Amino acid sequence: MMDRLDELLTVAGPLLQRVDEVLSGIGAPGGHGVWRELRRVRLLPGDAARAVAALHPAAIREAAPELRADARTCADLADALPLATSWTGEAAEAYEKARRSAAEHLNGGPDSLGHRMAATADLADSLIGWMLGIRADLAAVLTEVMISTEAVVLTTGNHPPVDRADAAAAIGARLLRTVADGYDEAEDLLTGSADLQNPLHV
């Protein structure tokens, strides 16, 4: 399903192409903020916008409910492991040790299977929210730059190279800053979930 960003990119394609061409061919004024944003994103504005448009929340939306269901199953299995109530001795003690270990593995502390599944589901929900957010932010900026004076300079008439460079830099800086700030947020999300990257010890 297309959203506002998808619709805008269809219309803004020629403008973005012009921004990329000018920045690649003419460059930008020395000391302009677009240089900092180019270093942050390492993509031209048009490529960066299309990279954001390639983020599809639907691709992971179905994963979170399934992970939560699996986490509940782990909890139920841990609770269902029977106690050794009708027998005693070494065999009973060995069984109880194994039962506690299995229960802990299924649904114990933060390293348990159930906890990691629930945490992964939380991360999936957060990433969905982030994708929707950065797509909406970029769509808002695209809406503004498409009707800007800079867009007119780039898409009409035969303006001097310096004017085109200024216009492309202004538009590029706004687009790239939005993308860069959004990706910083994603990096924070992933950093906060770094423990999930460690293998589960069985």
Side-chain angles (χ1 to χ4, degrees):
M1 179 183 295
M2 292 183 65
D3 63 2
R4 181 63 175 159
L5 179 60
D6 292 324
E7 295 170 356
L8 285 169
L9 278 178
T10 300
V11 179
L15 173 62
L16 293 175
Q17 181 178 353
R18 192 67 180 138
V19 169
D20 288 357
E21 288 173 349
V22 171
L23 289 177
S24 298
I26 300 176
H32 195 284
V34 72
W35 292 113
R36 175 177 182 269
E37 305 307 331
L38 282 166
R39 287 191 295 271
R40 291 175 71 193
V41 180
R42 301 183 183 277
L43 290 172
L44 289 169
D47 292 332
R50 287 185 286 273
V52 171
L55 297 170
H56 297 294
I60 60 174
R61 183 171 281 124
E62 295 180 1
E66 293 178 1
L67 286 165
R68 295 192 194 285
D70 289 341
R72 288 192 296 271
T73 298
C74 287
D76 292 342
L77 284 172
D79 292 340
L81 293 173
L83 297 170
T85 56
S86 60
W87 44 304
T88 59
E90 292 183 4
E93 292 175 2
Y95 168 80
E96 180 58 22
K97 181 179 179 180
R99 186 196 67 79
R100 285 196 302 267
S101 177
E104 181 74 15
H105 173 69
L106 285 168
N107 194 50
D111 287 332
S112 69
L113 187 58
H115 178 87
R116 289 168 69 96
M117 285 182 176
T120 303
D122 290 342
L123 176 59
D125 285 340
S126 295
L127 288 174
I128 290 169
W130 168 74
M131 288 183 187
L132 294 173
I134 191 174
R135 291 178 69 92
D137 291 344
L138 185 58
V141 173
L142 265 177
T143 299
E144 294 172 1
V145 300
M146 284 174 61
I147 57 173
S148 66
T149 302
E150 291 82 4
V152 174
V153 170
L154 289 172
T155 56
T156 63
N158 187 23
H159 298 275
V162 64
D163 291 344
R164 284 180 280 147
D166 285 340
I171 290 176
R174 294 194 62 189
L175 293 172
L176 290 172
R177 188 179 306 116
T178 301
V179 174
D181 290 347
Y183 274 91
D184 283 347
E185 294 176 10
E187 186 174 350
D188 290 342
L189 280 176
L190 295 175
T191 299
S193 303
D195 288 347
L196 294 176
Q197 300 175 29
N198 298 325
L200 180 62
H201 298 293
V202 179

